[in-house]
C-alpha cells in the first residue's frame, strides 16, 4: 500500500521496507481485514461461457500457408482412340481442339486457384488481427502478459458504442464487471474463515489475475470468486511488495478478461469508474464513478519505492484494492491500490497506472519476481534543507543501515555516510536515486560520491565504484536453495 505523504526524515529501505525507526508523519492505508465471514466451499466446476471471441495474443488457427484445396488441376491429354470410338458415322475422328482453347482452360483453373488462395489469405489476416486485439472478450487461451491498446479512433469497429465514441456508464460496467473478481484470503492464523478480502482483474482467458501484493500477503490459501459466483482455488504466481503488485492464477478457460488502455492518454477531469469489492463479498461488484484528479502523481509506499499513479475521487475503500480503474471506453487504465484513511481527507484515492504496472506484471508471470532490478541494499534518510541546517550536514541520503548482501559491501562505505551523487548526478531525494537505479542492470558499475563526517572535525568526501547486484526476493532465493538441496 502507498501513502501520499512522505516525511523527509522517514528512513527508506532501498531493498524494500521502511525502517521502523522512521520519523512520525505520513498516513498509511490499513491492509485487508475481515469484513465478514465466508464459509469455505469447494471448487465448483466451471460452465464455459457461451460464445467465442478474439484470443489474446494467441496464434490464429488459420495459416496463410494452408493449401487452397486437395489435389490440383489435371493436365489435358488427348486420346485419339477414345475420340475415334465415339465419333460420327464411320468412326471418323474429330479435329483436334485448338491450342487456344486449351490455354483458356488452364488459365481459368490457375485464376480460380489464385482467387481461392487470396480469399484464404485475406480471411487469415483478418482472423490474425482480431486475435491480436486480445482483450475485452473471451477465448480459449491467451499469451501471458499485459497488452495495452490506445483509445478507439474514428473508423474502428465498436461493439458497445459507435466508432470512436465514449461508452455510457452502463455500457462500461456491463463490459468490465465480468473481468473483476473477489479474492478471499486465508492465513495461517485463520484457515477456517477468510482473514481478508480484496479484488482482482482477469487479464487472460486462461486465468491470470492481477491484484495487489498486500491483498495476498501472508496467504496460505486463496478463493477467487467470479461475477457469476463460480469459485476457484487461486495460486500466487508472484508478488512485488515494492510496487504492491501481484499475480494470481486459477485453473479455468474461456474467461471474460479485461481490455487494458494506454494510461498515458488519461487527462485531468475525465470520467472514470472504479470496480471492485469494497468490504468483501457482501458488496461484490460495486461500481463507483469519479474523475481523474491528477495524472503521473508520484506516490511513495511504505517500502520506500515510488510509482506513477492516477489520482481519482472515485470511491475506493478497503476491499477495492486490486480492482479496476476504467476509462469511458471500457479500458482498464489503473489498478486501485490505496486510499488515504484519515477523517480529514475525502475523495483521494490512487490507482497504479497500467503503463507503469505492465513490466512488473509481465516479469511476475515470467519469473515470479521482477528480474534484472538492481539494489544498493541500504536504508536511507533524506537530508533536506531543514535537517541539513539543523545538523550541519550536506543534503543527500544519510545511510542508516547497510543490508547483508548489499552492493556496498566491501566498498568501505559505512552507516552514517551520506550519498551525495550517483554517477555525478545529485541524489538529494530518494526518488532521484530510484530513477537512476531504474536505468541500471545487474553487473553495472556505478560511481558514488560519499560524504563522511568525522569526530576529528576533518570531514571528507570520496568516491567509490560499486558493482550493482540483482534485487532477488528472499522467497525466490530460499526456493532456489531448496531446489538445489533436493
Amino acid at each position: 500500500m502507498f501513502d501520499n505523504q512522505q516525511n523527509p526524515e522517514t528512513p527508506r529501505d532501498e531493498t524494500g521496507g521502511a525502517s521502523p525507526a522512521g520519523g512520525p508523519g505520513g498516513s498509511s492505508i490499513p491492509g485487508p481485514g475481515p469484513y465478514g465471514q465466508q464459509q469455505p466451499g469447494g471448487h465448483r466446476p466451471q460452465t464455459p461461457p457461451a460464445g467465442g471471441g478474439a484470443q489474446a495474443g494467441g496464434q490464429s488457427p488459420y495459416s496463410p500457408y494452408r493449401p487452397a484445396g486437395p489435389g490440383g488441376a489435371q493436365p489435358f491429354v488427348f486420346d485419339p482412340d477414345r475420340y475415334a470410338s465415339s465419333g460420327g458415322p464411320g468412326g471418323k475422328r474429330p479435329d483436334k481442339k485448338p491450342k487456344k482453347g486449351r490455354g483458356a482452360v488452364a488459365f481459368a483453373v490457375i485464376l480460380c486457384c489464385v482467387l481461392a488462395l487470396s480469399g484464404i489469405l485475406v480471411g487469415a489476416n483478418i482472423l490474425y488481427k482480431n486475435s491480436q486485439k486480445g482483450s475485452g472478450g473471451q477465448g480459449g487461451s491467451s499469451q501471458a502478459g499485459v497488452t495495452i491498446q490506445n483509445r478507439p479512433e474514428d473508423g474502428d469497429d465498436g461493439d458497445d458504442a459507435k466508432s470512436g465514441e465514449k461508452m455510457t456508464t452502463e455500457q462500461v460496467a456491463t463490459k468490465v464487471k465480468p473481468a473483476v473478481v473477489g479474492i478471499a484470503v486465508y492465513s495461517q492464523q485463520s484457515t477456517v474463515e477468510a482473514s481478508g478480502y480484496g479484488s482482482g482483474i482477469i487479464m487472460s482467458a486462461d486465468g491470470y489475475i492481477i491484484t495487489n501484493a498486500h491483498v495476498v500477503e501472508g496467504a496460505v490459501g486463496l478463493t477467487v470468486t467470479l461475477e457469476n459466483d463460480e469459485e476457484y482455488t487461486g495460486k500466487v504466481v508472484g508478488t512485488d511488495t515494492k510496487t504492491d503488485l501481484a499475480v494470481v492464477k486459477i485453473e479455468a478457460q474461456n474467461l471474460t478478461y479485461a481490455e487494458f488502455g494506454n494510461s498515458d492518454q488519461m487527462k485531468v477531469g475525465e470520467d472514470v469508474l472504479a470496480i471492485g469489492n469494497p468490504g468483501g463479498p457482501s458488496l461484490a461488484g460495486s461500481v463507483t464513478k469519479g474523475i481523474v484528479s491528477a495524472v503521473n502523481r508520484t506516490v511513495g509506499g511504505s517500502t520506500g519505492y515510488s510509482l506513477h499513479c492516477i489520482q481519482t475521487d472515485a470511491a475506493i475503500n478497503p476491499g477495492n484494492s486490486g480492482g479496476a480503474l476504467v476509462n469511458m471506453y471500457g479500458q482498464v487504465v489503473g489498478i486501485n491500490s490505496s486510499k488515504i484513511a484519515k477523517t480529514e481527507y475525502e475523495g483521494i484515492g490512487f490507482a497504479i497506472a497500467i503503463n507503469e504496472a505492465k513490466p512488473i506484471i509481465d516479469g511476475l508471470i515470467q519469473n515470479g519476481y521482477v528480474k534484472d532490478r538492481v539494489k544498493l541494499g541500504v536504508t536511507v534518510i533524506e537530508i533536506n534543507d531543514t535537517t541539513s541546517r539543523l545538523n550541519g550536514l550536506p543534503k543527500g541520503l544519510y545511510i542508516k543501515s547497510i543490508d547483508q548482501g548489499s552492493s556496498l559491501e566491501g566498498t568501505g562505505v559505512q552507516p552514517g555516510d551520506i550519498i551525495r551523487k550517483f554517477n555525478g548526478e545529485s541524489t538529494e531525494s530518494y526518488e532521484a536515486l530510484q530513477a537512476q537505479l531504474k536505468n541500471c542492470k545487474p553487473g553495472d558499475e556505478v560511481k558514488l560520491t560519499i560524504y563522511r563526517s568525522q569526530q576529528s572535525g576533518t570531514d571528507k568526501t570520496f568516491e567509490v565504484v560499486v558493482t550493482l547486484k540483482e534485487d532477488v526476493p528472499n522467497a525466490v532465493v530460499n526456493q532456489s536453495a531448496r531446489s538445489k538441496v533436493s
Side-chain angles (χ1 to χ4, degrees), residues 215-235:
V215 170
V216 299
E217 184 177 8
V220 297
L222 299 174
T223 297
V224 176
T225 305
L226 307 186
E227 189 202 23
N228 61 5
D229 291 331
E230 289 183 356
E231 292 183 352
Y232 294 86
T233 297
K235 178 183 177 182

Side-chain angles (χ1 to χ4, degrees), residues 82-111:
R82 179 180 177 186
Y83 275 81
S85 62
S86 60
K92 185 178 179 180
R93 196 169 59 197
D95 294 333
K96 293 183 180 181
K97 301 189 76 170
K99 293 182 179 180
K100 182 178 180 181
R102 294 170 56 189
V105 172
F107 176 77
V109 171
I110 294 173
L111 180 62

Side-chain angles (χ1 to χ4, degrees), residues 211-480:
T211 187
N212 286 144
H214 76 260
V215 170
V216 299
E217 184 177 8
V220 297
L222 299 174
T223 297
V224 176
T225 305
L226 307 186
E227 189 202 23
N228 61 5
D229 291 331
E230 289 183 356
E231 292 183 352
Y232 294 86
T233 297
K235 178 183 177 182
V236 176
V237 175
T239 62
D240 184 49
T241 57
K242 283 190 172 183
T243 57
D244 195 26
L245 291 170
V247 175
V248 171
K249 179 73 167 64
I250 61 175
E251 295 304 319
Q253 297 294 331
N254 300 316
L255 297 175
T256 299
Y257 51 96
E259 176 184 346
F260 296 92
N262 186 348
S263 57
D264 289 343
Q265 295 179 322
M266 299 302 293
K267 297 179 180 179
V268 174
E270 67 176 289
D271 291 339
V272 286
L273 300 184
I275 304 177
N277 304 311
S282 61
L283 299 176
S286 293
V287 179
T288 56
K289 188 174 183 179
I291 64 169
V292 174
S293 303
V295 295
N296 293 322
R297 183 74 82 192
T298 301
V299 179
S302 59
T303 61
Y305 200 87
S306 297
L307 281 173
H308 292 134
C309 294
I310 300 170
Q311 182 183 329
T312 179
D313 64 350
I316 300 175
N317 294 284
N320 271 118
S321 293
L325 188 72
V326 191
N327 65 17
M328 298 311 293
Y329 298 94
Q331 298 173 320
V332 175
V333 292
I335 303 163
N336 298 328
S337 182
S338 63
K339 183 182 188 304
I340 298 178
K342 280 191 173 185
T343 57
E344 62 265 31
Y345 287 96
E346 286 294 337
I348 299 181
F350 296 99
I352 303 170
I354 197 64
N355 290 29
E356 181 95 344
K358 172 181 167 55
I360 307 298
I361 295 166
D362 293 349
L364 292 178
I365 293 174
Q366 295 168 10
N367 307 297
Y369 72 104
V370 182
K371 190 175 178 62
D372 292 334
R373 177 192 283 163
V374 297
K375 65 176 182 180
L376 279 182
V378 292
T379 301
V380 297
I381 300 174
E382 293 179 5
I383 303 296
N384 59 19
D385 288 330
T386 302
T387 53
S388 172
R389 185 172 60 256
L390 291 174
N391 296 280
L393 297 173
K395 291 193 294 184
L397 298 176
Y398 178 90
I399 300 176
K400 182 176 177 62
S401 64
I402 298 177
D403 303 334
Q404 184 177 0
S406 167
S407 299
L408 293 178
E409 286 186 342
T411 63
V413 178
Q414 60 191 30
D417 289 345
I418 297 175
I419 303 174
R420 299 291 316 282
K421 293 182 180 180
F422 184 102
N423 279 344
E425 297 184 12
S426 172
T427 55
E428 294 182 358
S429 69
Y430 187 80
E431 286 71 23
L433 176 62
Q434 283 297 326
Q436 291 157 341
L437 287 173
K438 282 183 179 180
N439 296 323
C440 299
K441 296 178 295 185
D444 286 353
E445 290 187 345
V446 298
K447 184 183 295 184
L448 300 182
T449 303
I450 305 295
Y451 170 87
R452 177 174 297 169
S453 177
Q454 301 184 111
Q455 292 182 351
S456 61
T458 307
D459 301 339
K460 66 176 183 178
T461 299
F462 58 97
E463 293 181 341
V464 295
V465 176
V466 178
T467 302
L468 297 174
K469 296 181 180 180
E470 186 176 17
D471 185 9
V472 182
N474 290 331
V476 176
V477 174
N478 294 339
Q479 179 63 40
S480 177

